[in-house]
Every structure is written in C-alpha cells, then in structure tokens.
Amino acid sequence: MEYTSNSDKITRDYFDSLLLETRYLDSSLPSTKLELYGRSFDSPIMTAALSHLGNTAPDGMLIYAQAAAKANAVHWVGMGEDKELEEITATGAATIKIIKPHADNKEVFRKIEHAASAGCFAVGMDIDHAFNGSSGYDNVLGLPMKAKTTEELHDFVQAAAEKGLPFIVKGVLSTKDAEKCLKAGVKGIQLSHHHGIMNYSVPPLMMLPEILQVTRREIPLFIDCGIESGMDAYKCLALGATAVSVGRHLMPLLKKGSDATAQRITEMKGELAATMARTGICDLQHFDPTVIHRRTF
C-alpha cells in the first residue's frame, strides 16, 4: 500500500473508498432544492471560499460569482478588498463572506459590518489560517493573523447577529472545536482542512458523523475540500452534510467564462439527482447513511 502525507490525496482516497447500494423500488425523480438561512437554491452544491482568482482568469472573482448566480447556488468568497466584495454581491450571487482571523479584532468587526452593508446573507471566519508552518502566527499578504478564543468567537457571532447575519466557522475538523462553536452560538460549521494546510489531516467527510453527533443537527454542516462531482456531493449529504463547497474543480473553467462554470455546477446537480434517484432518495431531507458502504476489498 502506498502511503502519503498529502491531505488532499488522503481525502480523495477516502471519497473513493465509499461505495453505494442501489434502491430502485418505490423511487422517483428527486428534488435537489436547498433551503438555507431563509433563502432557496437549486441544489446543495455551492462554490467554495476562494480568493485572488485574478491569477486564474481576468476578473476571476466576478466570473466565479456570476456563475453561482446563474446556477442559483450559494456563493462563498474569501479575502479581498471591500470594493471587490461589493462588485461580487452586485452580480446577484447569494454571498457568504469568510473573514480571516486577523490579529486585530477591530478589523474582524469592521469586515462583519461591511459584509452586511454589501449585501451578504451570511458571514464567517476561516479559523484554520491562524498559524504558519514554522511555529508562529500566520501572516497573509502582510496581514497578521492570530488564533481566536471561544469568547472572541462569541463576540463575532453577536456582532453578526446584530447585523442580521448568521455566523459560520470554516476549518473545523474535530468534535472539540465543534463543541466550542456551539458554545459560541455559531449558526453553521464548514468542515475543511483548507486544501491540505497541514499534512496528514483527517478527511473532512471522515469527521462528519462524529461532528454530527455533537451538533445534533442544530446547525447546518458544510463540507469543503476535494469535491469534484455530484457523486462526491451525494456521499457528503448521505452522511449528514447540509451542503458542499466546490472550488478547485471549478477554477480551470473560469477562463472559459461564467456560463461554462455555471454549466458545470448544474451538471454536478444532475449527477447528484441521478444518484439520488438510483438510491431511493426523494429530496435533501430524506438521505439515508445506510446506503453507504466502506470498501474492504
């Protein structure tokens, strides 16, 4: 057996180790409609919180948002200038703004306020960008970062709530952090290892059942990292995820424009629906984890 420290490879292997049984009798054409924070979307396949896509395609961030709007999908966005966020929300994309764990909490509060004024429908924090790889706090494009306490997180949740926004934490990969998120009052958790920010990270999907036991479906759980198809999305949803984020899989399509990117999101929705039909799942509220089997041969 070949072993690797690469968290992305480990995650891909885990996805591919999960097999599905079929359930054709009494099945029907399914609905992929997602209801999230008072909004309706065509499917639980969302974009991921990417940043600086100008290196991938001119106006890449706007193309990415336009694609989400055309596909009627939830759109996540990472770091960027205030003006860029305003241009993104102006596309009509239902946007969730993810804020870095800035060392200066005043900047976090300012970004929460700006996200609300820009028209985002949710906001959150990327907690896994607090440390660098050499025993220090991270610094992203000259901006110092710092790990946050549960108490600080609670303050961010309250600040977002005052602006009418649910607050989501991205980068959770343990029941310990999930418990602290609940204590802080967060309204959603995204399981993510940030594209392998640490070697040997457990696949987000592997941790989902344990974190689901802690959260007891009180808040939505989202899965990030390595999702490349409707089948991948199905496996996440079957094991208890509310929705999934797709990022790097879509990036090459940005050069072809928003229509091509939106088409792929829609294709993935079709792949998801086809798998739901073949396993007897009529809508997002009726997924059954017993359809999943772990390969043992």
Side-chain angles (χ1 to χ4, degrees):
M1 181 181 293
E2 179 184 355
Y3 291 93
T4 175
S5 66
N6 186 300
S7 297
D8 289 330
K9 177 65 164 57
I10 294 169
T11 296
R12 182 70 259 158
D13 289 346
Y14 186 73
F15 268 115
D16 292 343
S17 75
L18 301 179
L19 310 178
L20 278 60
E21 63 182 61
T22 57
R23 299 177 181 178
Y24 290 111
L25 295 177
D26 299 315
S27 189
S28 60
L29 293 178
S31 168
T32 62
K33 293 292 183 182
L34 170 70
E35 301 291 331
L36 184 65
Y37 304 134
R39 302 279 294 269
S40 296
F41 302 94
D42 284 355
S43 87
I45 296 172
M46 314 177 293
T47 62
L50 301 181
S51 310
H52 316 302
L53 291 175
N55 295 327
T56 302
D59 295 322
M61 293 299 291
L62 291 183
I63 293 171
Y64 195 40
Q66 289 163 355
K70 290 177 179 179
N72 191 26
V74 178
H75 182 56
W76 295 58
V77 61
M79 68 185 306
E81 299 297 327
D82 290 354
K83 181 181 177 182
E84 180 181 76
L85 180 59
E86 293 161 10
E87 292 171 343
I88 286 169
T89 56
T91 66
T95 302
I96 298 175
K97 169 65 177 178
I98 296 299
I99 301 166
K100 295 295 183 193
H102 295 276
D104 184 356
N105 282 346
K106 292 180 181 178
E107 181 64 5
V108 176
F109 289 120
R110 189 194 71 78
K111 286 184 174 292
I112 291 172
E113 184 171 354
H114 180 256
S117 65
C120 295
F121 86 111
V123 68
M125 176 168 283
D126 185 2
I127 61 170
D128 57 13
H129 233 303
F131 300 99
N132 62 28
S134 56
S135 73
Y137 283 120
D138 207 351
N139 187 292
V140 184
L141 300 178
L143 300 171
M145 304 292 154
K146 189 176 182 181
K148 300 304 178 185
T149 65
T150 306
E151 290 73 21
E152 287 175 308
L153 191 59
H154 176 265
D155 291 341
F156 302 148
V157 171
Q158 292 300 111
E162 290 172 3
K163 297 297 180 181
L165 300 181
F167 192 92
I168 300 166
V169 171
K170 177 179 179 288
V172 173
L173 270 185
S174 67
T175 57
K176 298 296 185 183
D177 275 353
E179 289 169 351
K180 292 176 181 179
C181 284
L182 282 181
K183 182 179 179 181
V186 307
K187 302 303 180 184
I189 288 173
Q190 186 166 68
L191 284 66
S192 173
H193 56 51
H194 206 112
H195 189 51
I197 199 169
M198 182 179 78
N199 286 339
Y200 295 106
S201 291
V202 63
L205 182 56
M206 183 182 288
M207 286 305 303
L208 178 59
E210 292 182 38
I211 291 176
L212 189 63
Q213 285 188 329
V214 169
T215 58
R216 301 177 297 278
R217 298 189 184 277
E218 293 176 10
I219 58 175
L221 298 182
F222 311 113
I223 296 288
D224 187 27
C225 300
I227 296 165
E228 300 176 351
S229 66
M231 176 62 79
D232 290 345
Y234 179 98
K235 293 175 181 179
C236 296
L237 297 164
L239 292 176
T242 302
V244 303
S245 287
V246 183
R248 291 179 181 272
H249 178 67
L250 297 175
M251 285 176 63
L253 295 172
L254 297 175
K255 295 178 181 179
K256 299 181 179 180
S258 60
D259 286 342
T261 309
Q263 180 180 351
R264 180 57 192 144
I265 297 172
T266 301
E267 287 173 354
M268 291 178 70
K269 178 187 73 172
E271 295 165 1
L272 169 63
T275 309
M276 290 170 66
R278 289 168 173 160
T279 54
I281 306 301
C282 61
D283 57 36
L284 302 187
Q285 288 71 50
H286 289 86
F287 273 93
D288 182 351
T290 65
V291 78
I292 300 286
H293 298 267
R294 187 78 188 272
R295 179 185 294 164
T296 57
F297 55 87

